[in-house]
Amino acid sequence: GENVEQHPSTLSVQEGDSAVIKCTYSDSASNYFPWYKQELGKRPQLIIDIRSNVGEKKDQRIAVTLNKTAKHFSLHITETQPEDSAVYFCAARNFGNEKLTFGTGTRLTIIP
Amino acid sequence: EAGVAQSPRYKIIEKRQSVAFWCNPISGHATLYWYQQILGQGPKLLIQFQNNGVVDDSQLPKDRFSAERLKGVDSTLKIQPAKLEDSAVYLCASSFREREGFYEQYFGPGTRLTVT
């Protein structure tokens, strides 16, 4: 089955700086890669996603890049703000079985 | 639109007791998922329903966990008997299948289970 690895597990960034979180996946049949943000005690919420026919996608301060050959994708947050502090999860989905496999999460802390 | 509803929000039970969780997905969402999220880890899929049929339950500990989705809408997840390692947040999610097969999963608030 699919295996998703996520790094780093914790990340502290000065407010205003950029943050990058990286994930790798094992199943070359995976074709959909969402990123979820989970604040303490709250539900995961989709912040951005990318499909396998696209190399990069941007939405204001967040962007995701995908390298299908290397089987890795990354989340980039620019001009970080205190409200960006949360746990971020990457995930990968195989179109064939529609199963979403999550990474282990990155706890991002923005230092004011 | 209304989101995914779950109840109860919190539950504390002793080991070997039984517990049940309820989920009401977003109206019109045919696919429903139950995830287990242990503290400090990502959600792990337990079972996936398409309408009232099971699509994937490969990671459901079937000796103690059971789930059903009668009439293809609400769903219940049951644990009997509970073990200490079942302490986790149980998340329900639902999705609407788009034409191309891509879709977003919407999560409920979760049920935090503590087994003592």
Side-chain angles (χ1 to χ4, degrees), chain B residues 22-32 49 51-52 68-76 92 94:
Chain B
W22 173 82
C23 173
N24 179 243
I26 293 172
S27 177
H29 282 196
T31 310
L32 184 147
F49 291 96
N51 295 308
N52 60 350
E68 60 181 9
R69 191 183 183 197
L70 299 176
K71 300 180 181 179
V73 181
D74 293 5
S75 178
T76 56
C92 179
S94 70

Side-chain angles (χ1 to χ4, degrees), chain A residues 85-101:
Chain A
S85 293
V87 178
Y88 291 81
F89 292 98
C90 64
R93 201 201 78 211
N94 181 305
F95 181 74
N97 61 27
E98 301 185 3
K99 181 177 176 179
L100 200 59
T101 302

Side-chain angles (χ1 to χ4, degrees), chain B residues 70-101:
Chain B
L70 299 176
K71 300 180 181 179
V73 181
D74 293 5
S75 178
T76 56
L77 176 69
K78 297 179 181 177
I79 307 175
Q80 182 180 13
K83 293 185 176 181
L84 295 176
E85 58 261 36
D86 297 333
S87 294
V89 174
Y90 290 84
L91 293 163
C92 179
S94 70
S95 67
F96 176 76
R97 190 173 189 180
E98 296 175 22
R99 210 172 41 234
E100 299 83 10

Side-chain angles (χ1 to χ4, degrees), chain A:
Chain A
E2 175 66 277
N3 182 49
V4 178
E5 294 189 356
Q6 183 171 349
H7 299 281
S9 57
T10 61
L11 179 62
S12 294
V13 173
Q14 206 73 34
E15 183 179 353
D17 288 350
S18 296
V20 180
I21 303 170
K22 299 181 179 182
C23 288
T24 59
Y25 61 98
S26 61
D27 189 348
S28 56
S30 289
N31 64 349
Y32 174 67
F33 308 93
W35 285 88
Y36 285 84
K37 175 182 180 182
Q38 187 173 30
E39 296 178 40
L40 189 62
K42 296 190 176 181
R43 73 192 75 187
Q45 291 198 302
L46 181 73
I47 56 172
I48 195 166
D49 56 13
I50 191 166
R51 303 177 183 183
S52 58
N53 59 346
V54 175
E56 184 174 357
K57 183 177 178 180
K58 191 173 182 179
D59 183 4
Q60 299 183 331
R61 295 187 298 108
I62 59 173
V64 58
T65 58
L66 171 66
N67 183 327
K68 285 193 299 180
T69 303
K71 290 191 281 189
H72 67 69
F73 56 113
S74 301
L75 177 71
H76 304 253
I77 306 175
T78 59
E79 301 172 13
T80 53
Q81 300 169 4
E83 53 263 38
D84 295 330
S85 293
V87 178
Y88 291 81
F89 292 98
C90 64
R93 201 201 78 211
N94 181 305
F95 181 74
N97 61 27
E98 301 185 3
K99 181 177 176 179
L100 200 59
T101 302
F102 284 82
T104 50
T106 297
R107 181 174 299 280
L108 175 63
T109 303
I110 306 302
I111 305 167

